[in-house]
Amino acid sequence: SEVIHHEILFFFLSGLSGILILCGYDQLRVIRRVIPHNSFLQSLEDFLFWTAAGIFCFGVAFKGNSGSIR
């Protein structure tokens, strides 16, 4: 049915979003190894990254559920 098709597509879109976040964080880790950072800057980078990742996940869930937060 169309509802099941939508849910399967949303499931794969959610998985892809997780993969993108994982790749983004891996890039941040590579940058940290190339350019040394002190612990304050690492904490700030982590805070900004995970805040952006949370907003991104919220947007994916919001759009995937047609604007309904459940």
Side-chain angles (χ1 to χ4, degrees), residues 1-51:
S1 80
E2 187 175 328
V3 174
I4 297 298
H5 177 68
H6 179 269
E7 292 295 324
I8 291 171
L9 184 62
F10 181 60
F11 175 75
F12 285 116
L13 181 63
S14 298
L16 180 62
S17 299
I19 291 169
L20 288 174
I21 290 172
L22 176 68
C23 289
Y25 195 72
D26 281 344
Q27 293 300 315
L28 184 60
R29 289 175 51 208
V30 167
I31 290 171
R32 286 179 181 170
R33 288 186 185 239
V34 172
I35 303 170
H37 293 75
N38 64 24
S39 61
F40 175 76
L41 285 178
Q42 283 185 354
S43 298
L44 182 63
E45 288 171 350
D46 279 341
F47 177 76
L48 294 175
F49 178 84
W50 290 114
T51 300

